[in-house]
Amino acid sequence: MKDVVALIPARSGSKGVPNKNIFPLCDIPLIAYSIVAALKSEMIDRVIVSTDSEEYAHIARHYGAEVPFLRSTDISDDKATDIQFLNHAIDWFKMN
């Protein structure tokens, strides 16, 4: 059976709420809640964060997620679509 992967998107370029993905909620970065929930699930084998930010990657790793790649800027702006980051992750899996 193949691994079940939770893929969490977290780009750093939010214009409406800057750095919303790492904004502290009760002193915990917002992204940590998704990571911890996925890690607690018995249905999920791996938790991977897709980000364009080394800072976000560091925080994600601190909470137990893998960040095996960084997204390029051309798929990390405010016009980037979900399919772009998903295809980027799928391409990474194909090569690894």
Side-chain angles (χ1 to χ4, degrees):
M1 186 172 191
K2 299 206 179 222
D3 288 342
V4 174
V5 176
L7 185 61
I8 300 171
R11 69 179 185 84
S12 64
S14 176
K15 291 180 180 174
V17 180
N19 292 311
K20 69 181 171 201
N21 289 309
I22 59 170
F23 189 83
L25 178 62
C26 296
D27 296 324
I28 297 172
L30 196 56
I31 191 172
Y33 290 94
S34 298
I35 293 167
V36 170
L39 288 170
K40 285 184 177 183
S41 172
E42 294 180 9
M43 305 286 293
I44 296 171
D45 300 304
R46 296 175 72 183
V47 178
I48 294 178
V49 170
S50 172
T51 186
D52 59 324
S53 165
E54 284 290 351
E55 179 183 11
Y56 284 27
H58 176 77
I59 292 167
R61 288 183 188 109
H62 175 78
Y63 284 93
E66 298 175 50
V67 188
F69 54 80
L70 289 180
R71 272 197 261 169
S72 61
T73 56
D74 62 318
I75 60 168
S76 298
D77 63 11
D78 58 342
K79 292 185 179 18
T81 64
D82 289 346
I83 196 70
Q84 288 175 303
F85 95 82
L86 288 169
N87 282 334
H88 180 259
I90 290 167
D91 289 344
W92 180 85
F93 278 107
K94 286 179 183 177
M95 296 182 67
N96 293 285

